[in-house]
Amino acid sequence: MLKQFLVVVILMLSGFCAQAQTQDTVVRKPADTVIIAPPKKVNDAGQRFVPKVKKDKEYHPDTTHIPSLAVKRSLIIPGWGQLYNKKGAWWKIPAIYGGLGALGYSIVDSQRGYKKFLAFYNIKNLGRVPLPTDREYEAYQKYKAEYAIYAGQSTTYFTEIVSNYQRNFQISILGVVAVWGIQAVEAYVEAKFISSFSVDNDLSIKVSPGFINQQPTYAMLTSTDAYIPGIKITFTLK
């Protein structure tokens, strides 16, 4: 009897424990999410605010600017092409004429010195004071006071000075030609690539940071810096 009672009690306890461990699972539905739109901006008159669309500025080449005309004007009159281009002419024209003026003075001074010392050389080579019947007499009368200063010099001395003046004269002539040609070329470049050329909306440029992938070398096999920082420039033609 006692054994049967114990069995019944054990069975009741087992059923009670099993019922206590089982719980109802309630799945809660998430609450509905309501998105509230921000209020529309209105002006004082009660109308809706609409931002203005900014139109990009368009650039077009100056087709009326002729590079060949700038060159022709510069070849005729130095600085005329720069004045035609109108960009930077305020300092280019004085610089051109300053260089031509210095070279022109050098030409005149070299020619004057060449003639004077050539006369000194002829008088010295004559070996005496020129007579009225001599070819050197007129030059001697003209440079008599100055020749007295150099009378003690040798003919070699006068030869070297004459050669120096002749060389300076030739270099000055070449300098004038060079300045004349350079200012004509400058006028053409100014008219061709600056005044008659511009970038319009069909060309865009983008600059962004990036990385450069280096080729693997022995030093890089032992280093983790396989990429180096750089700048990426992208041109796009629409």
Side-chain angles (χ1 to χ4, degrees):
M1 186 66 182
L2 182 58
K3 292 181 179 181
Q4 295 176 354
F5 177 76
L6 292 175
V7 171
V8 172
V9 172
I10 292 172
L11 292 175
M12 292 177 64
L13 292 175
S14 300
F16 178 77
C17 292
Q19 185 179 4
Q21 292 179 355
T22 304
Q23 296 180 356
D24 296 336
T25 303
V26 180
V27 180
R28 296 182 179 179
K29 296 182 179 181
D32 295 336
T33 302
V34 179
I35 300 176
I36 301 175
K40 298 180 180 179
K41 295 182 178 180
V42 295
N43 52 17
D44 296 338
Q47 299 177 356
R48 183 179 177 183
F49 175 76
V50 179
K52 295 182 179 180
V53 179
K54 185 178 180 181
K55 185 178 180 181
D56 296 335
K57 184 178 180 181
E58 295 183 358
Y59 298 91
H60 301 283
D62 183 8
T63 55
T64 62
H65 207 85
I66 306 174
S68 60
L69 183 59
V71 175
K72 291 177 182 179
R73 292 187 176 186
S74 293
L75 291 176
I76 296 173
I77 301 177
W80 194 9
Q82 283 74 16
L83 188 62
Y84 171 70
N85 292 331
K86 297 180 181 180
K87 292 186 177 181
W90 64 271
W91 69 268
K92 292 179 181 178
I93 294 178
I96 292 172
Y97 280 96
L100 292 176
L103 292 171
Y105 174 80
S106 178
I107 291 174
V108 174
D109 183 71
S110 298
Q111 186 68 7
R112 182 171 58 246
Y114 172 80
K115 291 181 178 180
K116 181 173 64 176
F117 280 90
L118 181 61
F120 291 172
Y121 170 80
N122 293 329
I123 296 172
K124 186 68 177 180
N125 194 33
L126 184 63
R128 57 178 175 82
V129 177
L131 300 176
T133 56
D134 294 331
R135 184 177 57 182
E136 294 82 6
Y137 181 78
E138 183 179 356
Y140 176 75
Q141 293 297 325
K142 182 179 181 180
Y143 301 112
K144 184 176 181 180
E146 294 184 46
Y147 178 74
I149 302 175
Y150 300 96
Q153 302 294 336
S154 62
T155 55
T156 303
Y157 173 80
F158 293 117
T159 301
E160 293 179 354
I161 294 181
V162 169
S163 299
N164 291 336
Y165 276 115
Q166 186 178 15
R167 182 176 63 254
N168 292 339
F169 176 80
Q170 296 173 351
I171 292 175
S172 299
I173 292 292
L174 294 177
V176 170
V177 175
V179 171
W180 207 299
I182 290 173
Q183 61 90 26
V185 173
E186 194 276 336
Y188 175 80
V189 173
E190 181 87 16
K192 181 67 176 179
F193 298 101
I194 298 179
S195 297
S196 296
F197 178 80
S198 63
V199 179
D200 54 14
N201 294 338
D202 294 336
L203 176 63
S204 62
I205 180 174
K206 180 180 180 182
V207 181
S208 60
F211 293 93
I212 302 175
N213 187 9
Q214 297 179 347
Q215 296 294 330
T217 58
Y218 175 78
M220 292 180 59
L221 293 176
T222 59
S223 175
T224 58
D225 297 333
Y227 295 87
I228 59 175
I231 298 177
K232 182 180 179 182
I233 303 177
T234 305
F235 293 93
T236 304
L237 289 174
K238 299 180 181 179

